[in-house]
Amino acid sequence: MEPPGEKPGEVGGLHITPQLLKSHTGEFALESILLLKLRGLGLADLGCLGECLGLEWLDLSGNALTQLGPLASLRQLAVLNVSNNRLTGLEPLAACENLQSLNAAGNLLAAPSQLQCLAGLRSLEHLRLRDPLARLSNPLCTSPSYWAAVRELLPGLKVIDGERVTGRGSELYQLCRDLDSSLHPSSSPGPRATATEAQPWVEPGYWESRPTRSSSILEEACRQFQDTLQECQDLDRQASDSLAQAEQALSPAGTTSSFVF
């Protein structure tokens, strides 16, 4: 007898079966499954997953998947995590018309053109192809023009790799990037030393005191930070007042002291 979920005669990974899905979800009908977490099971084949037509949230991270064919029938899918697999393409996702969030970090996507299949997904707002904390990336992320290429190809995205690029908060992210660039002038184009030359760790004059520079970028970043800090302090005071009022209203002593002689 074959172990549950294992494909007869296949070596090097499991494939999804109705039995495996029912054991993980407790559902008797595959169409009734709305949320499914199949992380780190060594899956190499999605099998019958395409029959879960009501699926809205799916986690397939940490497996051995090389293609996503069966997902093309999942028209209700909104959140998908396929990070840390062996994917070289995302073409089946073009049919997932309700997809809003996709995590494909840690795969083998080599060029921005492989994201062209996502261009028709009007609801897609969150895309992750690189995750520094988990040390996951894709070959295409090494290109200096990666960020600009993704934004041009998928202009509807609001968040790329965890950073907001449009909407509320995106200006602060951009300010931080500009500020980082202004504080690291060595990143600007220019002649570079050959790999065989021994180089100092810092640039000449790095340790010398410098006069304070007036930077509009720095001033704007400080202003926004102060505004945000003030808003947080106001919210903290409001929360403290609300808690004090709630404690006073719920205090037993408050109810007994209503009769004063």
Side-chain angles (χ1 to χ4, degrees):
M1 178 180 293
E2 298 289 343
E6 187 170 348
K7 190 173 183 177
E10 178 176 279
V11 179
L14 303 179
H15 90 304
I16 295 178
T17 65
Q19 292 76 17
L20 184 145
L21 294 175
K22 292 175 182 179
S23 66
H24 275 75
T25 64
E27 297 284 352
F28 290 98
L30 300 185
E31 297 84 355
S32 302
I33 300 175
L34 301 179
L35 184 150
L36 186 59
K37 183 177 180 180
L38 299 175
R39 178 186 300 176
L41 299 181
L43 297 172
D45 190 329
L46 294 179
C48 65
L49 188 59
E51 299 177 26
C52 302
L53 300 180
L55 200 58
E56 298 178 359
W57 189 97
L58 176 61
D59 185 354
L60 292 170
S61 61
N63 286 291
L65 300 173
T66 58
Q67 58 87 24
L68 301 174
L71 300 189
S73 61
L74 304 183
R75 304 301 176 88
Q76 303 302 316
L77 189 63
V79 178
L80 174 63
N81 186 348
V82 289
S83 62
N84 198 17
N85 278 280
R86 304 172 187 172
L87 300 172
T88 56
L90 302 172
E91 287 77 9
L93 301 184
C96 300
E97 54 194 24
N98 285 320
L99 191 63
Q100 301 173 17
S101 177
L102 171 63
N103 185 349
N107 282 282
L108 303 175
L109 303 174
S113 59
Q114 292 177 295
L115 305 177
Q116 182 65 48
C117 57
L118 306 177
L121 300 178
R122 303 303 180 191
S123 299
L124 185 62
E125 296 182 347
H126 297 251
L127 176 64
R128 183 180 286 279
L129 298 171
R130 179 175 55 187
D131 189 344
L133 294 179
R135 297 183 179 180
L136 297 176
S137 185
N138 279 277
L140 67 87
C141 299
T142 60
S143 170
S145 60
Y146 152 69
W147 188 275
V150 173
R151 291 197 64 180
E152 181 179 359
L153 190 62
L154 304 171
L157 290 176
K158 293 184 178 180
V159 179
I160 301 177
D161 296 339
E163 294 190 21
R164 181 169 288 275
V165 294
T166 60
R168 184 177 177 84
S170 59
E171 297 85 356
L172 186 57
Y173 274 109
Q174 185 60 48
L175 279 170
C176 291
R177 285 192 290 269
D178 293 343
L179 180 60
D180 184 66
S181 299
S182 68
L183 294 177
H184 295 82
S186 59
S187 61
S188 59
R192 296 185 179 182
T194 60
T196 56
E197 286 185 29
Q199 294 296 315
W201 289 1
V202 297
E203 298 177 349
Y206 180 86
W207 301 109
E208 297 177 4
S209 60
R210 301 176 184 178
T212 304
R213 290 188 304 173
S214 176
S215 170
S216 58
I217 296 176
L218 181 60
E219 292 173 359
E220 180 63 17
C222 291
R223 186 189 65 78
Q224 288 203 20
F225 177 77
Q226 291 296 335
D227 291 345
T228 303
L229 181 60
Q230 183 61 48
E231 185 177 351
C232 291
Q233 291 173 344
D234 292 342
L235 289 173
D236 180 65
R237 283 194 294 269
Q238 293 176 14
S240 298
D241 293 342
S242 298
L243 286 173
Q245 293 175 6
E247 291 176 355
Q248 184 176 4
L250 296 175
S251 174
T255 58
T256 57
S257 61
S258 57
F259 296 95
V260 180
F261 295 95

